[in-house]
Amino acid sequence: QALLGCRAGVALATARGPSLSMGSAGDAAAAGADRLKTHIFEDRILPSPAGWIDVPICEAILTKDVRILSTVDGSANSMTSLTYVTEGLLQTDKRTFAEVLHIYDDSKTYLPVSCRKEALRTTCEALLTGCVSSKRYRLKWVRKAGEGSTGDQICEGVRQLPADYICMGYFGLKGKKQNCHSILGKSLSTNVATVLSQGNSCSLICIKDESPNLLPIKLKKSTFVVSVSMNKASTKAFLDALRLSKPGDEIHVVYIKSYMENSDSDYTAEVRAKYEGFFSSFKDNDQQVFSRFHDRMAQFVLVSKQRRETTAQAIVRYADSVDADFVVVGANAADRVARGKKPVGSVSLQICLLTERNFIVANWIDVIPRVYEDVVRTAHTPV
């Protein structure tokens, strides 16, 4: 199960590039660069400091051919999410493969004609055919199982592809409901909640925009706000934002300081050094992988909490101030479930619920580079 989880989710293995080696771009950046280095000896790897993902795995996440599962039901939200995949991700990354999944129920004769299985299939196929080659997508129409929920079948679709990302609309045909997760007056739709609660190994891209005109596609710049701390899940969130970005996009790496923290603590300084090390690598031509992202505008931002403000509220406030297109959070679902916790932490979940913007939940599964190499490197995009 662990190996299948790796294959299904956290992106993976390509040829290992050289360990990162930066020039001096300030003490903080140099310190971050040094921390990015790793040493591998046959079947063992020296342990990385807490919160750090080894360089070969970072490079694998950024270079592996991507598989995306896009779910549709005919609603405005789901069709907007499909547009983001077809006119956004498939256009900017020629190594991306998409599977469009629709789970239908023949007993629902009351559905609008446009939402019935045959009409919806025709619409989706026309949208995909107009964007990419037939080798880069697949339509999968599945009858709803007698027992179990639609969300459970979506999770099974993630495992079968297997998917690196799943792209869903925030609400379905039934619109906003109050019968699922609710925090501070905000609710989460059933299928999205199921995908999050089952701890799937892939990352979730959730689209709240109800019109394709609002999407950051084609020539429109995307702005990602990534919530970080010193853990691997937030590092994966940053890597996912980088992987999904296109030239000219902005990536704001945001760390929330305590209301009482007047000067940078050692922890804050370490988080800053870590990401400034990443940013320096983008401009280092010796780095074959990281230098590919030299045309992204990345910055580290310290945001102080306001009085009586939570971390989630501070992240949402900053995202609104920069008019972000995506808010990105990390989750270590497998580890949390093993410890008897919910797959997505309360702060990350609150951010997703409170923001009015599209969000990404980046899932991380711990594994050493050799496992990625042995299990995933031979995997190919479906044909």
Side-chain angles (χ1 to χ4, degrees), residues 225-245:
V225 168
V226 186
S227 173
V228 300
S229 58
M230 191 57 75
N231 61 59
K232 292 184 179 181
S234 62
T235 305
K236 177 58 161 51
F238 167 69
L239 293 171
D240 273 352
L242 198 59
R243 186 69 175 86
L244 297 171
S245 67

Side-chain angles (χ1 to χ4, degrees), residues 54-355:
D54 297 306
V55 171
I57 296 179
C58 290
E59 293 178 340
I61 291 171
L62 296 174
T63 56
K64 176 185 177 288
D65 292 356
V66 170
R67 295 169 176 153
I68 298 178
L69 181 68
S70 179
T71 61
V72 295
D73 62 3
S75 65
N77 229 188
S78 75
M79 298 310 292
T80 300
S81 71
L82 178 60
T83 301
Y84 176 65
V85 173
T86 57
E87 297 187 23
L89 300 180
L90 287 174
Q91 295 297 316
T92 58
D93 190 343
K94 303 304 181 183
R95 296 171 300 165
T96 298
F97 177 88
E99 180 173 274
V100 181
L101 174 65
H102 173 59
I103 298 171
Y104 63 88
D105 185 347
D106 288 328
S107 67
K108 294 184 177 180
T109 55
Y110 56 83
L111 291 175
V113 173
S114 61
C115 298
R116 297 178 186 177
K117 62 180 183 181
E118 295 304 332
L120 185 57
R121 187 183 187 97
T122 300
T123 300
C124 292
E125 190 148 27
L127 183 60
L128 285 155
T129 302
C131 293
V132 295
S133 161
S134 60
K135 294 181 179 179
R136 296 184 56 208
Y137 72 87
R138 178 168 61 210
L139 299 181
K140 187 175 182 180
W141 263 227
V142 179
R143 185 188 303 275
K144 188 178 185 302
E147 298 181 358
S149 67
T150 300
D152 291 332
Q153 289 185 264
I154 291 173
C155 292
E156 181 59 28
V158 169
R159 288 186 283 271
Q160 289 179 359
L161 183 51
D164 301 298
Y165 299 93
I166 177 171
C167 189
M168 306 175 67
Y170 189 63
F171 291 109
L173 284 171
K174 296 180 181 178
K176 298 182 179 181
K177 297 183 291 183
Q178 301 295 327
N179 62 348
C180 201
H181 293 285
S182 182
I183 296 177
L184 301 178
K186 303 290 184 177
S187 61
L188 188 64
S189 67
T190 305
N191 291 338
V192 174
T194 302
V195 169
L196 290 176
S197 65
Q198 291 197 11
N200 287 281
S201 54
C202 72
S203 296
L204 167 68
I205 304 170
C206 193
I207 302 297
K208 290 190 175 184
D209 293 340
E210 295 188 7
S211 168
N213 294 330
L214 301 174
L215 292 171
I217 54 179
K218 298 180 180 178
L219 298 178
K220 184 180 178 182
K221 178 189 69 177
S222 300
T223 300
F224 296 83
V225 168
V226 186
S227 173
V228 300
S229 58
M230 191 57 75
N231 61 59
K232 292 184 179 181
S234 62
T235 305
K236 177 58 161 51
F238 167 69
L239 293 171
D240 273 352
L242 198 59
R243 186 69 175 86
L244 297 171
S245 67
K246 59 185 182 295
D249 286 354
E250 294 183 12
I251 301 175
H252 298 238
V253 177
V254 180
Y255 175 70
I256 304 300
K257 293 173 57 176
S258 168
Y259 173 70
M260 301 299 292
E261 187 178 342
N262 295 321
S263 58
D264 287 3
S265 65
D266 291 343
Y267 185 90
T268 300
E270 190 172 5
V271 175
R272 181 197 294 273
K274 168 181 177 176
Y275 287 100
E276 288 184 349
F278 269 119
F279 303 158
S280 295
S281 71
F282 299 163
K283 303 182 186 303
D284 187 343
N285 293 329
D286 291 334
Q287 303 307 318
Q288 297 179 1
V289 174
F290 290 93
S291 61
R292 299 178 188 178
F293 301 94
H294 67 278
D295 48 12
R296 273 61 163 180
M297 294 179 285
Q299 59 179 303
F300 181 81
V301 183
L302 281 178
V303 176
S304 296
K305 288 183 185 177
Q306 295 178 352
R307 192 174 183 183
R308 297 189 180 90
E309 186 178 48
T310 66
T311 298
Q313 290 169 331
I315 288 289
V316 171
R317 171 169 57 85
Y318 181 82
D320 290 342
S321 72
V322 298
D323 195 21
D325 298 292
F326 290 95
V327 177
V328 192
V329 299
N332 191 345
D335 179 65
R336 291 181 59 85
V337 170
R339 292 186 284 124
K341 297 184 177 182
K342 293 182 178 179
V344 180
S346 59
V347 174
S348 294
L349 184 58
Q350 285 183 45
I351 292 171
C352 297
L353 290 169
L354 291 175
T355 185

